[in-house]
């Protein structure tokens, strides 16, 4: 069955710390991968996406993610977080050509000034 | 960039009444739109996939007679919560898929059933 796992439910970091949020998926086929962010009181926004090509994907606001096919992972990283990065982060997977988008349960990031 | 407009953003209705939520892709055509429900402290749960000109595909456990979905055009999908009950109170979000297969989300609708 298709699924997405985000192992970190709540991460608390100080400003300037480095961030890595884990995302693992289970899907029997080629996939497209996404990271979305939801700031407090706002709607989901796309951070970055991977369809094909370079497995290291750079997104907005200094975020990047690396697709490691052998590990079924798509971890999100940022070298130095800011207080404004406090939000909930969702990893999502959709099979190529499919309609169902599977979300992880989200990771809440709290950045302490 | 691609914008999805969802209306209304908040609605309060009485138990037993129906509520319609609209989802519009403003600057692109979306043959496929999705409706999600966000439960507290949980991720989005896909309710149904809305395909323009055909019947929606509902996920297991979602009552299709209660959550009516209509995708009348390439830019508009509607979700109608019929005979609403307090347990239907939730945050409903729509998304539309562009030609590049990226999903763009509406701002969501907070439904409160009293």
């Amino acid at each position: 069955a298709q699924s997405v796992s985000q192992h970190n439910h709540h991460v608390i970091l100080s400003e300037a710390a480095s961030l890595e949020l884990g995302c693992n998926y289970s899907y029997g086929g080629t996939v497209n991968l996404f990271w979305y962010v939801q700031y407090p009181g706002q709607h989901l926004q796309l951070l970055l996406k991977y369809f094909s090509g370079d497995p290291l994907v750079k997104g907005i606001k200094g975020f990047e993610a690396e697709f490691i096919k052998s590990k079924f992972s798509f971890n999100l990283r940022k070298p130095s977080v800011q207080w404004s990065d406090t939000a909930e982060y969702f990893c999502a997977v959709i099979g190529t050509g499919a309609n169902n988008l599977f979300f992880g349960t989200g990771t809440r990031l709290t950045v302490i000034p | 960039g691609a914008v999805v407009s969802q209306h209304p953003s908040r609605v309060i209705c009485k138990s037993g009444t129906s509520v319609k939520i609209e989802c519009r892709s403003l600057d692109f055509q979306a043959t496929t739109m999705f409706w999600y429900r966000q439960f507290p402290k949980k991720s989005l749960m896909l309710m149904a996939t809305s395909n323009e000109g055909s019947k929606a595909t509902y996920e297991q456990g979602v009552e299709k007679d209660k959550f009516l979905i209509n995708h009348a055009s390439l830019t508009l999908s509607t979700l109608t919560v019929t005979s609403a009950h307090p347990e239907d109170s939730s945050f409903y979000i729509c998304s539309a898929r562009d030609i590049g297969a990226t999903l763009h989300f509406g701002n969501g609708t907070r439904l409160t059933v009293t």
Side-chain angles (χ1 to χ4, degrees):
Chain A
Q2 300 90 336
S3 66
V4 179
S5 297
Q6 289 181 247
H7 312 295
N8 314 106
H9 297 294
H10 190 188
V11 173
I12 302 173
L13 295 173
S14 297
E15 273 195 319
S18 65
L19 169 71
E20 180 160 3
L21 301 181
C23 173
N24 287 89
Y25 68 92
S26 172
Y27 191 86
T30 55
V31 295
N32 299 324
L33 299 152
F34 306 83
W35 274 98
Y36 287 89
V37 60
Q38 188 171 24
Y39 297 102
Q42 296 186 28
H43 65 286
L44 285 171
Q45 299 173 43
L46 179 67
L47 267 183
L48 48 80
K49 61 184 177 182
Y50 172 80
F51 280 11
S52 63
D54 189 345
L56 184 61
V57 180
K58 295 193 183 298
I60 61 172
K61 304 185 180 184
F63 286 91
E64 66 177 31
E66 185 175 11
F67 172 49
I68 302 179
K69 188 175 180 180
S70 61
K71 295 185 178 180
F72 298 92
S73 69
F74 190 56
N75 292 356
L76 180 71
R77 300 194 292 251
K78 185 171 183 178
S80 177
V81 295
Q82 300 172 315
W83 175 78
S84 58
D85 293 325
T86 294
E88 188 123 15
Y89 293 81
F90 293 92
C91 178
V93 172
I94 186 169
T96 306
N99 288 332
N100 278 11
L101 181 70
F102 294 90
F103 277 83
T105 52
T107 297
R108 179 177 297 177
L109 172 65
T110 302
V111 180
I112 302 170
Chain B
V3 176
V4 173
S5 173
Q6 189 172 339
H7 179 80
S9 58
R10 295 177 186 271
V11 59
I12 301 172
C13 71
K14 292 185 177 181
S15 185
T17 61
S18 296
V19 174
K20 180 184 285 188
I21 303 169
E22 292 188 348
C23 180
R24 293 180 185 272
S25 57
L26 296 186
D27 51 2
F28 67 99
Q29 292 183 331
T31 55
T32 306
M33 291 186 175
F34 304 86
W35 287 95
Y36 302 85
R37 181 174 177 176
Q38 188 174 29
F39 291 92
K41 298 185 179 181
K42 292 189 177 181
S43 179
L44 295 175
M45 301 295 291
L46 178 66
M47 297 175 65
T49 301
S50 170
N51 296 299
E52 187 266 337
S54 64
K55 291 183 178 181
T57 304
Y58 289 82
E59 294 301 301
Q60 191 173 8
V62 177
E63 298 176 61
K64 60 182 180 181
D65 294 330
K66 181 169 187 60
F67 298 100
L68 300 180
I69 292 172
N70 183 272
H71 195 153
S73 75
L74 288 172
T75 58
L76 173 64
S77 177
T78 61
L79 168 68
T80 302
V81 182
T82 63
S83 187
H85 290 281
E87 57 264 31
D88 299 325
S89 297
S90 190
F91 194 61
Y92 294 86
I93 303 174
C94 74
S95 70
R97 188 163 67 183
D98 66 20
I99 194 170
T102 296
L103 288 185
H104 304 276
F105 287 85
N107 285 355
T109 298
R110 173 72 63 189
L111 170 64
T112 303
V113 184
T114 60

